Amino acid sequence: PTANSCPSWTTPASAAAALGKILFMGFLLAKLAIISAPAPRIAAMLAAASLQSTLDEIAAEYVKHLGFRVEAVGEDSVTLPLPVTPGLVHGGGVLCGQAIVSAADTAMLLAMIARLGGFKPMTTVQLQTSFLRPVPKETASVAIVARVLRLGKSLSYGEVDFRVDGKLAAHATTTYALL
């Protein structure tokens, strides 16, 4: 650069001032990145077999009749199927919504237990379910993936997807209070 193209760099003092401004802005950006960084994750995570064992111990008999089997556990998610059995199909020939809502609540509970590293007292505060397509009685099972979106000190948030042949059949959002 020449003196004409960058007049503020014409003297050593102005160059130092410009460099100081650049370094200060870099410091501020780094500080903002540290402040806005997500909270560290809890390292605890249960294996699928341990999570299944916990479900078998704490679940109500009604929930046990739904036939859940934990397939996979991720850092923030749990995957399990909901078998479509004749007892869960209503007169219209499709999986009843009550089974889907029960499955959403149970799957999210399992995702929370996995994320916390074990069962802790909690209760459902909100469970919103959207039914996007019917699940026909001929369907063997519905693939469920429950994800913990945010684990707070007193409230936690999640979402649950229900898929049949890769297509979204239902979606639920949840809020839980940690007691």
Side-chain angles (χ1 to χ4, degrees), residues 1-10:
T2 66
N4 291 336
S5 64
C6 297
S8 65
W9 292 3
T10 56

Side-chain angles (χ1 to χ4, degrees), residues 21-173:
K21 287 179 183 176
I22 291 169
L23 291 176
F24 180 71
M25 291 303 289
F27 168 78
L28 284 179
L29 290 174
K31 192 140 181 89
L32 285 173
I34 292 169
I35 292 170
S36 65
R41 298 205 178 271
I42 297 172
M45 190 171 72
L46 296 179
S50 295
L51 194 55
Q52 183 67 50
S53 178
T54 301
L55 176 64
D56 294 341
E57 288 175 25
I58 66 169
E61 288 302 314
Y62 166 77
V63 173
K64 291 177 185 178
H65 289 298
L66 294 174
F68 295 120
R69 291 288 163 241
V70 177
E71 286 184 345
V73 179
E75 183 178 344
D76 289 317
S77 66
V78 171
T79 303
L80 60 153
L82 170 61
V84 179
T85 60
L88 300 179
V89 174
H90 66 57
V94 296
L95 180 65
C96 70
Q98 295 90 337
I100 293 172
V101 172
S102 295
D105 199 27
T106 303
M108 197 63 230
L109 172 70
L110 291 171
M112 292 285 297
I113 292 170
R115 179 67 193 280
L116 291 166
F119 178 74
K120 307 274 190 288
M122 65 184 86
T123 189
T124 309
V125 173
Q126 177 270 335
L127 175 57
Q128 170 70 41
T129 307
S130 296
F131 302 96
L132 305 172
R133 69 181 68 244
V135 178
K137 64 181 177 184
E138 299 80 23
T139 305
S141 66
V142 179
I144 304 170
V145 177
R147 287 177 291 283
V148 177
L149 299 175
R150 182 179 183 281
L151 180 62
K153 292 179 184 177
S154 59
L155 290 177
S156 293
Y157 305 89
E159 67 179 354
V160 187
D161 287 341
F162 295 80
R163 294 188 181 274
V164 176
D165 298 327
K167 295 179 182 175
L168 192 61
H171 177 79
T173 58

